[in-house]
Amino acid sequence: MIPELEWTDLDRKAVDTARVLAMDAVQKVGNGHPGTAMSLAPAAYLLFQKVMRHDPADPNWISRDRFVLSAGHSSITLYTQLFLGGFGLELDDLKSLRTWGSKTPGHPEFGHTAGVEVTTGPLGQGLGNAVGMAMAARRERGLLDPGAAPGESLFDHHIYAIASDGDLQEGVSSETSSIAGTQKLGNLTVIYDANRISIEGDTDIAFNEDVAKRYEAYGWHVQTVDWTKGGDHTNGADYAEDVPALYEAIKAADAVTDQPSMIVLRTIIAWPAPNAQNTEAAHGSALGDDEVAATKEVLGFDPARKFEVPDDVLEHTRSLLQRGKAWGAEWDLKYDAWAAEHHEQAALLFRMKGRALPEGLEDALPSFPADAKGVATRAASGQVINAIAPVMPELWGGSADLAGSNNTTIKGAPSFLPKDRSVEDWKGDPLEGRVLHFGIREHGMGAIMNGIAAHGGTRVFGGTFLTFSDYMRGSVRVAALMQAPVIYVWTHDSIGLGEDGPTHQPVEHLWALRGIPGLDIVRPADANETAAAWLQILKNTDRPAGLILTRQNVPTFPRGEDGFATTADVGKGGYVLVEADGAQPDVILIGTGSEVQLAVQARELLAADGINARVVSMPSIEWFEQQTQAYRDEVIPPTVKARVSVEAGIKQGWREYVGDAGQMVSLERFGASADGARIFKEFGFTGEAVAQAAKDSIEAAAR
C-alpha cells in the first residue's frame, strides 16, 4: 500500500538539485540528453523516494520494486536518483557521465551500475522489458507462494517504468503493450512522458495519435496528468508541476490489480530553462553555459557553482538507506516464517537465485536410439523440454504463435494467462501457468524474455522460425549485451523446410546471428546432440543462446558404437563424430545440423576411393572457440590442410576453419519452393557433392 504523500520544500529542493546535476553532467561532457531529465526530475524522484520499496544497500533484494527507464537516452534521470538515494553512485560518477570507464554510460547498462535493472537504449525495449518483469514477478509468486491472498505474499512487488514519445512510436512497444493488456498485469505502471519533442522537433510531424485511447484499447487502465494545464505543450506560462496529482494517479494505478496502468504525463521538455524549454536541441544536446546559468538562477542555485548538492538535500534523500534497511529487515522476518513452513519452495528459491540446475536434470534427458530415418531436431527439442520440465519448475516458455511447429509446449501445463482468457485448447492459470503465448510478435517476445531474464529467478525460452529471427534481432542483441540467459528456439532452419519457399527459408541468418558478440548459436546434428545442447545451454547462465532446429527428419546416429562418438563433447562446440579409418585423416569434413549426415555419407564415399576422412560435428562455433587451442588443434589438426565445410547457408565465416585450400559447400542464393529433399539435391547438398569438394581440397592442399 502506497502511503499518503509527504511533500516538503526540501523535496522540491531535491528535485531541483536533480535538474542541476543533469544540466551540469551533460554540459561537462559536452553531449547527452538533459531536457527530459529536467522535466522528469519530479516523477523520477517521486518513484525512488516516495513510492517504491527498495533498499539501496541491497539492490538485488528479490522482492524490491523494479524501475525501468525505457527512455534510456535520458540516463542521467536514473543516475541522479541512484546518487541521491545512495545506491553507490557518487558525485564523481555523475561528473564522468558518458566517458571511458565510468559507472554512468550514455545509456543504462544492466550489471554495470548498481540499481540499473535492465539495459535500455533502443527505444521501446525498456517498455517490453517492464512487461516481462511483471510477468516474471507473477510467475515467481506462483512458483513460491501461490496460496497467498492477493497482495499478501512476501513476493509481491511492482514494476514501474518511464517511457517517452520515442518508446511509444516503436512497434515493439505496441507488441508488448498488447500482451500486457491480455495478461492483465496489475503489477505494472508506466509513466508516459508526453512532451511531444524528439530529435526532429515537434512530434506532430509523425506521431499524432491519441495514446490514451490506444492504451485503453489494449486493455490498460489509463489516466492523464496534465502539467501543461490543457495547453499545447508549447506555452510554459501556465505550466505547473502538480506532484500531488501525479502521486494520486500512481496510487490509483496501484489499486488496479487486473489491468496494467498507463499514466500520460504531459510535460514541457527542459523545464524550467528560459530559452531551451520545448526545443529539440534540449532533447539531445548540452544546453550551453549561458542557459545552464540562467536556469540555475530560476531554480535559486548559484550560477557559478558546478554540481552543487546542498548538504540538507543529500541527508534527506539518503535517508532512503534507513527506510530500505527497515523494509528489508521486516521482509526478512516474514521470509523466515514463510521458509519454516515452505521448505521445498525455500530450497527452490535458493536454487533459482543462483540459477543452479536441479539434481537429476541430466538423468531426465531423453536418449534416442539409432535410426536411419531419424527425427527432426525440433521434435527432439520438444521431447527434451517435456522431459526436463518436471524436474525444473522454473523453466517456462512458448512461441510466437508457432507452438505446434516449434514444439515448445510443456504438455499438461496450464497457460500463463488470466483464467478468463482460457480457450478450448489452452487453459489459463495466472500464477502456475508455464506455457507462454506471445502471439505473432517476435520482437515483443524477445523484449519480454529479456525482462524475464533480467528480473531473475526463472529460465525462459521462446520460439519462432529462424527466418523471423530478423524480426526480433534488436531484442536479441540487447540480450547479448546484458549477458541474459534467454533461450531462443529457432526452427525451420534451412532450405530443408521445403515448400514454403524462399521467404521462409533462412540463408544468411546463421552467420548474421553468429556476428552478435556473446550470443551462442547451436545447430545440433541429431536428436541426441539436441538433448546435449539443451543441457549445455541451461548450464550457461551468463549469455543467451539460439537453438537452430530442423523441420525435416535427420538420421539419429549410433552413439558410442560403429565408430560414432558419444555426445560427451557436444558442449565443447565441435568434436570428432566419426574418425578417419587411417592413422591420419587425408581430409576433414566439418558439418553443422542437418548437413552433418552429408559429411557422414561423403566419408563413406571417400573411403571407397581410399581416402580417409574425419567427420567433425560443429554444433556451436562459439562454444568451440572457448576451448583451448590444444583441443581445437586436436579436432582440426593444423597439419591437415584439406578441409571441407558443409552448411546450408552462406559460406561467410567458414574460410577461417577450412583454410586456403579448403572447400565450402554452401548456398549463395535464396531458396525455392519444393519439397526439402528435392531442394537439397538441386542446390548441391548431397554426399557426392561433399565428397567431390573433399577431393578438390586435397588437390589444392597438395599444390
Side-chain angles (χ1 to χ4, degrees), residues 170-187:
E170 287 285 359
V172 67
S173 69
S174 298
E175 296 182 24
T176 56
S177 296
S178 180
I179 292 175
T182 299
Q183 288 289 348
K184 298 186 175 182
L185 297 175
N187 58 346

Side-chain angles (χ1 to χ4, degrees), residues 351-370:
R351 186 171 60 74
M352 285 168 54
K353 282 194 68 175
R355 295 200 188 279
L357 298 181
E359 293 183 10
L361 180 66
E362 192 163 352
D363 293 336
L365 292 171
S367 178
F368 300 86

Side-chain angles (χ1 to χ4, degrees), residues 30-368:
N31 56 78
H33 300 78
T36 300
M38 295 168 66
S39 53
L40 277 184
Y45 179 87
L46 201 60
L47 289 175
F48 270 80
Q49 292 285 334
K50 305 294 183 179
V51 174
M52 294 195 296
R53 286 173 63 91
H54 49 181
D55 183 359
D58 185 11
N60 295 317
W61 175 28
I62 64 168
S63 283
R64 70 192 181 278
D65 291 334
R66 267 69 162 182
F67 172 76
V68 176
L69 183 68
S70 192
H73 55 277
S74 187
S75 59
I76 193 63
T77 295
L78 176 54
Y79 298 149
T80 54
Q81 297 308 319
L82 296 179
F83 161 68
L84 291 172
F87 283 80
L89 291 184
E90 297 299 343
L91 208 52
D92 283 345
D93 296 308
L94 300 186
K95 292 178 181 178
S96 60
L97 176 72
R98 299 168 70 95
T99 61
W100 177 265
S102 76
K103 295 181 182 178
T104 50
H107 294 80
E109 296 180 21
F110 176 72
H112 184 77
T113 310
V116 172
E117 299 283 5
V118 68
T119 297
T120 53
L123 290 171
Q125 287 290 325
L127 187 52
N129 301 155
V131 173
M133 286 182 177
M135 292 168 64
R138 195 173 85 192
R139 175 62 185 143
E140 181 180 79
R141 185 189 185 285
L143 277 169
L144 302 173
D145 202 18
E152 297 298 322
S153 173
L154 75 163
F155 299 106
D156 286 331
H157 52 275
H158 208 89
I159 315 300
Y160 296 95
I162 287 179
S164 64
D165 289 305
D167 291 295
L168 277 271
Q169 290 175 60
E170 287 285 359
V172 67
S173 69
S174 298
E175 296 182 24
T176 56
S177 296
S178 180
I179 292 175
T182 299
Q183 288 289 348
K184 298 186 175 182
L185 297 175
N187 58 346
L188 172 63
T189 298
V190 175
I191 297 174
Y192 159 42
D193 175 32
N195 65 40
R196 308 294 299 175
I197 291 291
S198 63
I199 290 174
E200 294 186 6
D202 194 316
T203 57
D204 281 348
I205 60 174
F207 184 55
N208 49 29
E209 68 203 40
D210 190 325
V211 171
K213 288 182 179 178
R214 171 181 152 198
Y215 271 77
E216 287 173 0
Y218 288 146
W220 288 53
H221 173 255
V222 180
Q223 304 170 82
T224 298
V225 176
D226 188 358
W227 287 351
T228 71
K229 302 303 178 186
D232 61 0
H233 77 271
T234 63
N235 180 12
D238 298 323
Y239 191 72
E241 293 176 331
D242 191 344
V243 172
L246 177 58
Y247 192 74
E248 288 303 312
I250 294 171
K251 286 182 63 179
D254 186 69
V256 176
T257 60
D258 61 350
Q259 291 177 290
S261 288
M262 164 73 76
I263 299 171
V264 179
L265 180 63
R266 299 191 66 194
T267 66
I268 291 179
I269 195 170
W271 180 263
N275 304 297
Q277 63 179 262
N278 197 52
T279 65
E280 57 266 33
H283 171 82
S285 302
L287 300 184
D289 289 332
D290 291 343
E291 186 71 1
V292 170
T295 307
K296 287 180 180 179
E297 286 189 2
V298 171
L299 295 172
F301 282 70
D302 184 350
R305 294 186 61 183
K306 309 290 186 184
F307 294 94
E308 181 180 356
V309 182
D311 292 341
D312 57 347
V313 165
L314 199 59
E315 181 182 359
H316 180 62
T317 60
R318 291 204 172 174
S319 66
L320 180 59
L321 284 160
Q322 284 71 51
R323 298 196 301 278
K325 183 178 180 180
W327 289 328
E330 176 189 359
W331 188 87
D332 287 344
L333 288 174
K334 293 180 180 179
Y335 173 81
D336 290 341
W338 171 84
E341 295 183 4
H342 300 84
H343 300 288
E344 185 176 333
Q345 289 90 340
L348 173 60
L349 174 59
F350 181 80
R351 186 171 60 74
M352 285 168 54
K353 282 194 68 175
R355 295 200 188 279
L357 298 181
E359 293 183 10
L361 180 66
E362 192 163 352
D363 293 336
L365 292 171
S367 178
F368 300 86

